[in-house]
Amino acid sequence: MLHIDGVIGGYGSIQILNGASLKVGRDQIAALLGGNGTGKSTLLKTISGLNKPWAGTITFDGDRIDGLRPDLIVRRGLVQVTQGKESYPGMTVEENLRLGAFVVTDRAKARRALDRVFTYFPILKDKRNQLSGTLSGGQLQMLCIGRGLMSEPKMIMLDEPSAALAPQIVLDIFRIIHKISRDGMTVLMVEQNVRMALLLAEYGYVIKDGVIHIEGPADRLIHDDNVRLSYLGGTVADRDASMNLRQ
Ligand SMILES: Nc1ncnc2c1ncn2[C@@H]1O[C@H](COP(=O)(O)OP(=O)(O)OP(=O)(O)O)[C@@H](O)[C@H]1O
Ligand SMILES: [Mg+2]
């Protein structure tokens, strides 16, 4: 579905991505992990067209998309939910969501997309007429994911969807991501919550200094000594914490 090969890029003259390569298969959930400032967000932004790659290729659904404008990439069915839970606080929840449907010209289709978002996030339906500035952190994250879903993409990239949320809310968010995936969406998620991400994803990539330095099936990575030592802080005894994540 998404195939990135040798991507180099950065900001101005500062090179951040040093030949990053990864693949995400159709209907798969892949996790992109790594420490602070290693280039995770830069890679997502480069895929979604917000940053231009300097070199390398990005293929989505069989076509090259590197260098395309971000709105054209959204039109092709690839959407990014950026880090930081940004919304327009002076606009209502519904207005914020509808912004995500900017590529949808058919009103009935936008309506359907909105109804679908409300089935994933009933709380957003309850609060549809409230200003988004009144939402809690978890609700804002739901709004941002929902806005990404409004264009009915084939694939969604989520940048730290669980950041700065209470544990119970994190679980809610992860469950919804699982549900969205099960309904036929391809997902690439950046996460600092490495254990949870590897419990949910099928495949994981660890980025360091702008290149992928470890990759593999999630159930192998979670037992990988390097990953455990650097990112999981010890044992996997609480693997049982897979809890009811996949319910
Ligand atoms: N707009 C920018 N201009 C210049 N440098 C930037 C810009 N955005 C990020 N950087 C730098 O690029 C590097 C990678 O940043 P990036 O945001 O991709 O990291 P990250 O892996 O997403 O980190 P985090 O976990 O903190 O979100 C960092 O050194 C950062 O300071
Ligand atoms: Mg980031």
Side-chain angles (χ1 to χ4, degrees):
M1 187 92 190
L2 179 71
H3 194 153
I4 296 159
D5 194 21
V7 164
I8 294 177
Y11 306 94
S13 60
I14 308 164
Q15 186 170 323
I16 304 292
L17 301 175
N18 298 304
S21 301
L22 62 79
K23 282 185 208 169
V24 186
R26 192 178 297 276
D27 296 342
Q28 193 178 49
I29 303 184
L32 176 60
L33 313 167
N36 284 79
T38 49
K40 304 182 299 295
S41 297
T42 304
L43 182 54
L44 289 201
K45 285 189 275 182
T46 305
I47 299 167
S48 64
L50 297 173
N51 280 18
K52 298 281 171 248
W54 302 351
T57 60
I58 304 173
T59 308
F60 177 67
D61 211 11
D63 296 314
R64 288 277 294 270
I65 57 163
D66 44 276
L68 280 189
R69 281 203 327 251
D71 57 308
L72 296 178
I73 293 177
V74 171
R75 271 179 213 283
R76 287 178 186 229
L78 176 57
V79 157
Q80 180 191 2
V81 178
T82 53
Q83 193 171 357
K85 305 196 277 286
E86 286 159 354
S87 77
Y88 292 91
M91 289 168 62
T92 66
V93 166
E94 180 169 338
E95 286 164 348
N96 269 279
L97 287 171
R98 285 185 179 276
L99 289 178
F102 70 100
V103 299
V104 182
T105 44
D106 180 341
R107 279 167 155 243
K109 209 173 156 205
R111 174 86 251 158
R112 270 203 314 276
L114 187 66
D115 286 342
R116 191 145 173 252
V117 167
F118 286 153
T119 62
Y120 288 125
F121 306 108
I123 187 76
L124 297 183
K125 187 171 189 181
D126 297 344
K127 296 186 178 262
R128 65 199 294 176
N129 296 318
Q130 286 190 27
L131 299 183
S132 73
T134 66
L135 298 182
S136 70
Q139 291 161 359
L140 261 184
Q141 186 59 65
M142 293 176 192
L143 176 70
C144 293
I145 298 173
R147 192 172 49 202
L149 295 174
M150 283 297 290
S151 62
E152 305 205 298
K154 298 173 190 158
M155 174 169 180
I156 192 161
M157 300 190 289
L158 305 166
D159 198 345
E160 303 208 15
S162 79
L165 299 178
Q168 182 54 47
I169 310 294
V170 171
L171 202 54
D172 288 344
I173 296 279
F174 274 67
R175 281 199 185 119
I176 290 164
I177 296 169
H178 181 240
K179 205 163 160 191
I180 290 168
S181 152
R182 218 177 34 202
D183 290 346
M185 180 91 55
T186 305
V187 178
L188 174 60
M189 60 192 302
V190 165
E191 263 302 329
Q192 299 263 357
N193 200 331
V194 173
R195 192 183 309 279
M196 291 275 276
L198 288 177
L199 289 169
L200 184 61
E202 282 116 39
Y203 204 86
Y205 292 91
V206 182
I207 188 170
K208 193 176 177 185
D209 300 330
V211 287
I212 303 299
H213 86 125
I214 307 174
E215 68 171 276
D219 49 6
R220 184 157 70 67
L221 287 192
I222 208 163
H223 292 103
D224 181 288
D225 284 343
N226 287 322
V227 174
R228 282 166 63 180
L229 222 57
S230 306
Y231 304 101
L232 286 169
T235 72
V236 287
D238 44 353
R239 161 112 218 189
D240 298 339
S242 62
M243 296 177 266
N244 308 312
L245 200 62
R246 290 177 178 271
Q247 267 176 11

